[in-house]
């Protein structure tokens, strides 16, 4: 289904297909969730209910079950096609997964009702990002953690991304700006819980020309991972 509403710019067919590829699974999603687990550290408190916002096709579910050991996963996505695929995927997960259709801007969840939130590559798809972060703060229980993975404007605002994918215009941010927005929503973010990077897939020439010295400009920060806490 292709659609655009006030708070949703529907992804291109290519973008939706890309979420089903091995490249997305291995090079983007698995790497991000592994690093999020590292940032959470060895003494992570037990998680009863984990929220996966903007869950896409649900390819994260099994990884979240393995790495974070929640008793249940609640997942939300706005795109009916993604929700349909994610529901199929949920049936194969080792822990119970409930997939809901809706916007992250207004979640059908009670205040403080989840212990952890994984928000992977969603915020740059949203036009009202401050409101989204406030909503995540609302549903998170005190003491809970938000694990955020985002692509920054240095990647999203390149011609190749603009050509193949769709994002709301004029709302893309740098890593520093995203960190500030997360803190402004009320979360605490320790400097040690912030990681920035420039993976090969976020460079327009995939790092090939750079390897041969044909591109020498400074590496931009294109990706952000962080752990934020609600006290
Ligand atoms: C880049 S995909 C990431 C999917 C998944 N987190 C993953 O890493 O495989 C972004 C997802 O966010 C969803 N999305 C976009 N705007 C949304 C909104 N306002 N509320 C909920 N989901 C949204 C899209 O439908 C899409 O599935």
């Amino acid at each position: 289904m292709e659609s655009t509403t006030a708070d949703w710019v529907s992804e291109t067919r290519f973008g939706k297909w890309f979420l089903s590829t091995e490249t997305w699974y291995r090079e983007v999603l698995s790497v991000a969730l592994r690093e999020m687990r590292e940032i959470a550290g060895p003494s992570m408190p037990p998680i009863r209910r984990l929220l996966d916002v903007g869950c896409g096709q649900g390819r994260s579910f099994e990884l979240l079950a393995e790495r974070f050991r929640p008793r249940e996963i609640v997942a939300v996505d706005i795109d009916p096609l993604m929700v349909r695929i994610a529901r199929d995927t949920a049936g194969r997960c080792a822990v119970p997964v409930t997939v809901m259709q809706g916007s992250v801007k207004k979640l059908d969840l009670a205040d403080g009702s989840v212990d952890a939130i994984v928000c992977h590559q969603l915020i740059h798809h949203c036009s009202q990002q401050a409101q989204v972060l406030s909503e995540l703060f609302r549903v998170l229980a005190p003491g809970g953690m938000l694990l955020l993975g985002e692509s920054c404007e240095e990647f999203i605002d390149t011609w190749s991304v603009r050509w193949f994918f769709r994002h709301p215009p004029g709302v893309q941010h740098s890593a520093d700006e995203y960190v500030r927005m997360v803190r402004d929503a009320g979360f605490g973010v320790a400097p040690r819980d912030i990681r920035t990077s420039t993976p090969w897939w976020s460079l327009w020439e995939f790092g090939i020309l750079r390897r041969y010295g044909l591109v020498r400009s400074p590496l931009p920060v294109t990706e952000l991972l962080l752990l934020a806490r609600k006290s």
Side-chain angles (χ1 to χ4, degrees):
M1 179 186 290
E2 298 294 331
S3 163
T4 297
T5 63
D7 63 343
W8 178 39
V9 177
S10 182
E11 186 51 281
T12 58
R13 279 185 194 193
F14 176 84
K16 292 184 194 197
W17 166 80
F18 190 60
L19 293 178
S20 71
T21 62
E22 271 306 290
T23 306
W24 178 264
Y25 184 74
R26 269 193 287 111
E27 304 287 334
V28 186
L29 180 61
S30 303
V31 172
L33 295 184
R34 191 191 69 228
E35 291 204 22
M36 285 178 181
R37 184 63 192 83
E38 280 171 18
I39 300 174
S43 55
M44 183 185 74
I47 297 170
R48 193 178 48 83
R49 201 174 193 210
L50 184 150
L51 170 63
D52 182 0
V53 267
C55 66
Q57 304 183 2
R59 301 189 82 196
S60 49
F61 298 159
E62 203 55 60
L63 295 169
L64 292 172
E66 273 169 29
R67 294 187 196 282
F68 293 92
R69 308 226 165 259
R71 277 209 242 141
E72 73 167 301
I73 297 173
V74 178
V76 177
D77 203 284
I78 200 167
D79 185 328
L81 174 64
M82 295 296 124
V83 169
R84 233 178 15 249
I85 301 172
R87 283 188 176 143
D88 272 0
T89 316
R92 297 190 290 277
C93 187
V95 300
V97 185
T98 308
V99 182
M100 305 191 292
Q101 189 192 344
S103 173
V104 62
K105 231 175 73 181
K106 195 163 185 336
L107 293 164
D108 191 11
L109 292 167
D111 294 3
S113 59
V114 302
D115 308 306
I117 302 174
V118 168
C119 180
H120 182 241
Q121 300 287 351
L122 167 65
I123 303 290
H124 69 271
H125 283 277
C126 301
S127 44
Q128 286 145 316
Q129 297 165 341
Q131 191 178 337
V132 168
L133 289 166
S134 296
E135 183 65 351
L136 298 183
F137 189 81
R138 180 187 71 76
V139 300
L140 188 62
M145 63 181 178
L146 163 68
L147 292 152
L148 185 88
E150 264 315 310
S151 286
C152 306
E153 64 181 341
E154 290 78 359
F155 172 52
I156 301 295
D157 283 345
T158 53
W159 66 266
S160 49
V161 173
R162 289 230 165 275
W163 185 264
F164 288 106
F165 302 91
R166 289 288 169 278
H167 303 100
V171 294
Q172 304 304 327
H173 294 285
S174 68
D176 286 347
E177 286 165 351
Y178 278 126
V179 173
R180 200 172 313 130
M181 288 169 66
V182 171
R183 287 186 172 134
D184 286 348
F187 294 96
V189 186
R192 66 170 180 281
D193 293 336
I194 301 170
R195 287 189 190 179
T196 56
S197 63
T198 316
W200 64 267
W201 48 261
S202 69
L203 294 168
W204 65 270
E205 37 79 42
F206 296 147
I208 297 166
L209 299 184
R210 196 171 278 276
R211 189 177 317 149
Y212 293 106
L214 299 172
V215 173
R216 292 168 191 273
S217 53
L219 271 180
V221 168
T222 53
E223 294 300 310
L224 167 70
L225 282 179
L226 65 78
L227 181 155
R229 293 181 199 280
K230 177 172 175 177
S231 53

